[in-house]
PDB file of all heavy atoms in Angstrom:
ATOM      1  N   SER A   5     -13.259  45.591 -98.570  1.00  0.00           N
ATOM      2  CA  SER A   5     -14.626  45.497 -98.051  1.00  0.00           C
ATOM      3  C   SER A   5     -14.680  45.851 -96.578  1.00  0.00           C
ATOM      4  O   SER A   5     -15.605  46.537 -96.120  1.00  0.00           O
ATOM      5  CB  SER A   5     -15.162  44.082 -98.262  1.00  0.00           C
ATOM      6  OG  SER A   5     -15.268  43.787 -99.639  1.00  0.00           O
ATOM      7  N   ALA A   8     -14.407  49.591 -96.259  1.00  0.00           N
ATOM      8  CA  ALA A   8     -15.649  50.244 -96.666  1.00  0.00           C
ATOM      9  C   ALA A   8     -16.725  50.097 -95.590  1.00  0.00           C
ATOM     10  O   ALA A   8     -17.468  51.042 -95.304  1.00  0.00           O
ATOM     11  CB  ALA A   8     -16.136  49.661 -97.991  1.00  0.00           C
ATOM     12  N   LEU A  10     -16.225  49.639 -92.328  1.00  0.00           N
ATOM     13  CA  LEU A  10     -15.833  50.488 -91.199  1.00  0.00           C
ATOM     14  C   LEU A  10     -16.158  51.944 -91.480  1.00  0.00           C
ATOM     15  O   LEU A  10     -16.698  52.660 -90.617  1.00  0.00           O
ATOM     16  CB  LEU A  10     -14.351  50.316 -90.901  1.00  0.00           C
ATOM     17  CG  LEU A  10     -13.775  51.191 -89.775  1.00  0.00           C
ATOM     18  CD1 LEU A  10     -14.485  50.900 -88.458  1.00  0.00           C
ATOM     19  CD2 LEU A  10     -12.274  50.995 -89.641  1.00  0.00           C
ATOM     20  N   ILE A  15     -19.493  56.910 -90.810  1.00  0.00           N
ATOM     21  CA  ILE A  15     -20.328  57.948 -91.420  1.00  0.00           C
ATOM     22  C   ILE A  15     -21.723  57.967 -90.803  1.00  0.00           C
ATOM     23  O   ILE A  15     -22.245  59.034 -90.462  1.00  0.00           O
ATOM     24  CB  ILE A  15     -20.410  57.733 -92.940  1.00  0.00           C
ATOM     25  CG1 ILE A  15     -19.057  58.051 -93.587  1.00  0.00           C
ATOM     26  CG2 ILE A  15     -21.500  58.603 -93.555  1.00  0.00           C
ATOM     27  CD1 ILE A  15     -19.002  57.733 -95.070  1.00  0.00           C
ATOM     28  N   ALA A  19     -23.623  60.863 -88.612  1.00  0.00           N
ATOM     29  CA  ALA A  19     -24.965  61.381 -88.900  1.00  0.00           C
ATOM     30  C   ALA A  19     -25.856  61.299 -87.662  1.00  0.00           C
ATOM     31  O   ALA A  19     -26.597  62.237 -87.344  1.00  0.00           O
ATOM     32  CB  ALA A  19     -25.582  60.593 -90.058  1.00  0.00           C
ATOM     33  N   VAL A  23     -27.618  64.388 -85.522  1.00  0.00           N
ATOM     34  CA  VAL A  23     -29.047  64.462 -85.229  1.00  0.00           C
ATOM     35  C   VAL A  23     -29.280  64.637 -83.729  1.00  0.00           C
ATOM     36  O   VAL A  23     -30.061  65.494 -83.294  1.00  0.00           O
ATOM     37  CB  VAL A  23     -29.767  63.197 -85.731  1.00  0.00           C
ATOM     38  CG1 VAL A  23     -31.208  63.163 -85.234  1.00  0.00           C
ATOM     39  CG2 VAL A  23     -29.729  63.136 -87.255  1.00  0.00           C
ATOM     40  N   ALA A  36     -39.472  78.453 -85.891  1.00  0.00           N
ATOM     41  CA  ALA A  36     -40.573  79.144 -85.222  1.00  0.00           C
ATOM     42  C   ALA A  36     -41.873  78.858 -85.968  1.00  0.00           C
ATOM     43  O   ALA A  36     -41.882  78.325 -87.074  1.00  0.00           O
ATOM     44  CB  ALA A  36     -40.297  80.644 -85.169  1.00  0.00           C
ATOM     45  N   LEU A  45     -51.394  72.338 -82.553  1.00  0.00           N
ATOM     46  CA  LEU A  45     -51.563  72.926 -81.217  1.00  0.00           C
ATOM     47  C   LEU A  45     -53.036  73.024 -80.835  1.00  0.00           C
ATOM     48  O   LEU A  45     -53.408  72.748 -79.694  1.00  0.00           O
ATOM     49  CB  LEU A  45     -50.904  74.308 -81.179  1.00  0.00           C
ATOM     50  CG  LEU A  45     -49.377  74.320 -81.230  1.00  0.00           C
ATOM     51  CD1 LEU A  45     -48.854  75.744 -81.335  1.00  0.00           C
ATOM     52  CD2 LEU A  45     -48.792  73.625 -80.015  1.00  0.00           C
ATOM     53  N   GLN A  51     -50.533  75.751 -75.804  1.00  0.00           N
ATOM     54  CA  GLN A  51     -50.060  77.108 -76.031  1.00  0.00           C
ATOM     55  C   GLN A  51     -48.643  77.213 -75.478  1.00  0.00           C
ATOM     56  O   GLN A  51     -48.340  76.629 -74.435  1.00  0.00           O
ATOM     57  CB  GLN A  51     -50.969  78.114 -75.314  1.00  0.00           C
ATOM     58  CG  GLN A  51     -50.503  79.561 -75.355  1.00  0.00           C
ATOM     59  CD  GLN A  51     -50.847  80.246 -76.665  1.00  0.00           C
ATOM     60  OE1 GLN A  51     -51.200  79.585 -77.645  1.00  0.00           O
ATOM     61  NE2 GLN A  51     -50.742  81.567 -76.704  1.00  0.00           N
ATOM     62  N   ILE A 118     -36.007  58.380 -81.526  1.00  0.00           N
ATOM     63  CA  ILE A 118     -35.425  57.068 -81.253  1.00  0.00           C
ATOM     64  C   ILE A 118     -35.942  56.030 -82.254  1.00  0.00           C
ATOM     65  O   ILE A 118     -35.176  55.231 -82.801  1.00  0.00           O
ATOM     66  CB  ILE A 118     -35.728  56.631 -79.805  1.00  0.00           C
ATOM     67  CG1 ILE A 118     -35.015  57.560 -78.817  1.00  0.00           C
ATOM     68  CG2 ILE A 118     -35.308  55.184 -79.577  1.00  0.00           C
ATOM     69  CD1 ILE A 118     -35.449  57.369 -77.376  1.00  0.00           C
ATOM     70  N   LEU A 121     -34.275  56.663 -85.758  1.00  0.00           N
ATOM     71  CA  LEU A 121     -32.871  56.247 -85.808  1.00  0.00           C
ATOM     72  C   LEU A 121     -32.731  54.730 -85.718  1.00  0.00           C
ATOM     73  O   LEU A 121     -31.863  54.135 -86.375  1.00  0.00           O
ATOM     74  CB  LEU A 121     -32.085  56.923 -84.684  1.00  0.00           C
ATOM     75  CG  LEU A 121     -31.893  58.443 -84.824  1.00  0.00           C
ATOM     76  CD1 LEU A 121     -31.180  59.002 -83.598  1.00  0.00           C
ATOM     77  CD2 LEU A 121     -31.104  58.771 -86.094  1.00  0.00           C
ATOM     78  N   PRO A 133     -23.580  43.455 -95.166  1.00  0.00           N
ATOM     79  CA  PRO A 133     -22.910  42.427 -95.976  1.00  0.00           C
ATOM     80  C   PRO A 133     -22.552  42.913 -97.377  1.00  0.00           C
ATOM     81  O   PRO A 133     -21.757  42.261 -98.061  1.00  0.00           O
ATOM     82  CB  PRO A 133     -23.949  41.289 -96.028  1.00  0.00           C
ATOM     83  CG  PRO A 133     -24.754  41.459 -94.787  1.00  0.00           C
ATOM     84  CD  PRO A 133     -24.857  42.955 -94.627  1.00  0.00           C
ATOM     85  N   LEU A 147     -25.675  63.394 -95.360  1.00  0.00           N
ATOM     86  CA  LEU A 147     -25.956  64.610 -96.115  1.00  0.00           C
ATOM     87  C   LEU A 147     -27.332  65.179 -95.806  1.00  0.00           C
ATOM     88  O   LEU A 147     -27.506  66.402 -95.755  1.00  0.00           O
ATOM     89  CB  LEU A 147     -25.828  64.325 -97.620  1.00  0.00           C
ATOM     90  CG  LEU A 147     -24.415  63.994 -98.115  1.00  0.00           C
ATOM     91  CD1 LEU A 147     -24.458  63.553 -99.572  1.00  0.00           C
ATOM     92  CD2 LEU A 147     -23.485  65.193 -97.947  1.00  0.00           C
ATOM     93  N   ALA A 149     -29.040  64.665 -92.993  1.00  0.00           N
ATOM     94  CA  ALA A 149     -29.152  65.035 -91.575  1.00  0.00           C
ATOM     95  C   ALA A 149     -28.667  66.479 -91.439  1.00  0.00           C
ATOM     96  O   ALA A 149     -27.625  66.771 -90.866  1.00  0.00           O
ATOM     97  CB  ALA A 149     -28.318  64.091 -90.713  1.00  0.00           C
ATOM     98  N   VAL A 152     -31.819  71.836 -92.850  1.00  0.00           N
ATOM     99  CA  VAL A 152     -32.975  71.908 -93.733  1.00  0.00           C
ATOM    100  C   VAL A 152     -34.093  71.010 -93.216  1.00  0.00           C
ATOM    101  O   VAL A 152     -35.270  71.380 -93.232  1.00  0.00           O
ATOM    102  CB  VAL A 152     -32.576  71.501 -95.169  1.00  0.00           C
ATOM    103  CG1 VAL A 152     -33.809  71.246 -96.024  1.00  0.00           C
ATOM    104  CG2 VAL A 152     -31.712  72.577 -95.802  1.00  0.00           C
ATOM    105  N   VAL A 174     -36.660  55.139 -98.673  1.00  0.00           N
ATOM    106  CA  VAL A 174     -35.449  55.047 -99.501  1.00  0.00           C
ATOM    107  C   VAL A 174     -34.586  53.872 -99.054  1.00  0.00           C
ATOM    108  O   VAL A 174     -34.015  53.141 -99.875  1.00  0.00           O
ATOM    109  CB  VAL A 174     -34.650  56.365 -99.426  1.00  0.00           C
ATOM    110  CG1 VAL A 174     -33.261  56.203-100.056  1.00  0.00           C
ATOM    111  CG2 VAL A 174     -35.412  57.485-100.125  1.00  0.00           C
ATOM    112  N   SER A 189     -41.332  41.766 -99.843  1.00  0.00           N
ATOM    113  CA  SER A 189     -41.059  42.567 -98.642  1.00  0.00           C
ATOM    114  C   SER A 189     -40.852  44.030 -98.985  1.00  0.00           C
ATOM    115  O   SER A 189     -41.320  44.922 -98.267  1.00  0.00           O
ATOM    116  CB  SER A 189     -39.822  42.015 -97.923  1.00  0.00           C
ATOM    117  OG  SER A 189     -40.046  40.701 -97.466  1.00  0.00           O
ATOM    118  N   THR A 263     -60.540  76.393 -96.801  1.00  0.00           N
ATOM    119  CA  THR A 263     -59.827  77.669 -96.796  1.00  0.00           C
ATOM    120  C   THR A 263     -58.408  77.495 -97.307  1.00  0.00           C
ATOM    121  O   THR A 263     -57.931  78.304 -98.125  1.00  0.00           O
ATOM    122  CB  THR A 263     -59.805  78.264 -95.377  1.00  0.00           C
ATOM    123  OG1 THR A 263     -61.137  78.484 -94.939  1.00  0.00           O
ATOM    124  CG2 THR A 263     -59.050  79.593 -95.368  1.00  0.00           C
ATOM    125  N   THR A 310     -60.061  88.564 -99.388  1.00  0.00           N
ATOM    126  CA  THR A 310     -60.743  87.386 -99.929  1.00  0.00           C
ATOM    127  C   THR A 310     -62.043  87.762-100.626  1.00  0.00           C
ATOM    128  O   THR A 310     -62.428  87.145-101.627  1.00  0.00           O
ATOM    129  CB  THR A 310     -61.032  86.388 -98.790  1.00  0.00           C
ATOM    130  OG1 THR A 310     -59.838  86.127 -98.064  1.00  0.00           O
ATOM    131  CG2 THR A 310     -61.566  85.080 -99.352  1.00  0.00           C
ATOM    132  N   GLU A 362     -34.254  79.205 -79.707  1.00  0.00           N
ATOM    133  CA  GLU A 362     -35.104  79.477 -78.544  1.00  0.00           C
ATOM    134  C   GLU A 362     -34.588  80.683 -77.768  1.00  0.00           C
ATOM    135  O   GLU A 362     -33.393  80.794 -77.485  1.00  0.00           O
ATOM    136  CB  GLU A 362     -35.109  78.243 -77.640  1.00  0.00           C
ATOM    137  CG  GLU A 362     -35.856  78.416 -76.338  1.00  0.00           C
ATOM    138  CD  GLU A 362     -35.547  77.310 -75.352  1.00  0.00           C
ATOM    139  OE1 GLU A 362     -34.652  76.491 -75.630  1.00  0.00           O
ATOM    140  OE2 GLU A 362     -36.196  77.276 -74.294  1.00  0.00           O
ATOM    141  N   TYR A 386     -23.336  79.888-103.455  1.00  0.00           N
ATOM    142  CA  TYR A 386     -22.197  80.223-104.305  1.00  0.00           C
ATOM    143  C   TYR A 386     -22.534  80.102-105.787  1.00  0.00           C
ATOM    144  O   TYR A 386     -21.735  80.453-106.646  1.00  0.00           O
ATOM    145  CB  TYR A 386     -21.011  79.310-103.988  1.00  0.00           C
ATOM    146  CG  TYR A 386     -20.489  79.462-102.578  1.00  0.00           C
ATOM    147  CD1 TYR A 386     -20.654  78.459-101.633  1.00  0.00           C
ATOM    148  CD2 TYR A 386     -19.837  80.634-102.172  1.00  0.00           C
ATOM    149  CE1 TYR A 386     -20.183  78.593-100.335  1.00  0.00           C
ATOM    150  CE2 TYR A 386     -19.362  80.784-100.883  1.00  0.00           C
ATOM    151  CZ  TYR A 386     -19.540  79.759 -99.965  1.00  0.00           C
ATOM    152  OH  TYR A 386     -19.070  79.894 -98.674  1.00  0.00           O
ATOM    153  N   SER A 390     -27.966  81.390-113.162  1.00  0.00           N
ATOM    154  CA  SER A 390     -27.864  80.511-114.340  1.00  0.00           C
ATOM    155  C   SER A 390     -27.450  79.104-113.936  1.00  0.00           C
ATOM    156  O   SER A 390     -27.981  78.116-114.460  1.00  0.00           O
ATOM    157  CB  SER A 390     -26.847  81.080-115.334  1.00  0.00           C
ATOM    158  OG  SER A 390     -27.263  82.339-115.820  1.00  0.00           O
ATOM    159  N   LEU A 401     -34.363  66.227-115.181  1.00  0.00           N
ATOM    160  CA  LEU A 401     -34.245  65.365-116.362  1.00  0.00           C
ATOM    161  C   LEU A 401     -33.250  64.221-116.231  1.00  0.00           C
ATOM    162  O   LEU A 401     -33.433  63.155-116.841  1.00  0.00           O
ATOM    163  CB  LEU A 401     -33.864  66.223-117.581  1.00  0.00           C
ATOM    164  CG  LEU A 401     -34.843  67.338-117.967  1.00  0.00           C
ATOM    165  CD1 LEU A 401     -34.270  68.170-119.106  1.00  0.00           C
ATOM    166  CD2 LEU A 401     -36.200  66.775-118.351  1.00  0.00           C
ATOM    167  N   LEU A 451     -38.475  68.329 -99.436  1.00  0.00           N
ATOM    168  CA  LEU A 451     -37.947  67.003 -99.754  1.00  0.00           C
ATOM    169  C   LEU A 451     -37.149  66.987-101.048  1.00  0.00           C
ATOM    170  O   LEU A 451     -36.422  66.023-101.309  1.00  0.00           O
ATOM    171  CB  LEU A 451     -39.086  65.986 -99.828  1.00  0.00           C
ATOM    172  CG  LEU A 451     -39.710  65.591 -98.484  1.00  0.00           C
ATOM    173  CD1 LEU A 451     -40.852  64.609 -98.700  1.00  0.00           C
ATOM    174  CD2 LEU A 451     -38.676  64.985 -97.541  1.00  0.00           C
TER     175      LEU A 451
END
Side-chain angles (χ1 to χ4, degrees):
S5 296
L10 177 60
I15 290 174
V23 171
L45 290 174
Q51 174 80 346
I118 294 169
L121 291 176
L147 293 172
V152 166
V174 169
S189 297
T263 300
T310 308
E362 175 194 7
Y386 297 110
S390 297
L401 300 175
L451 287 178

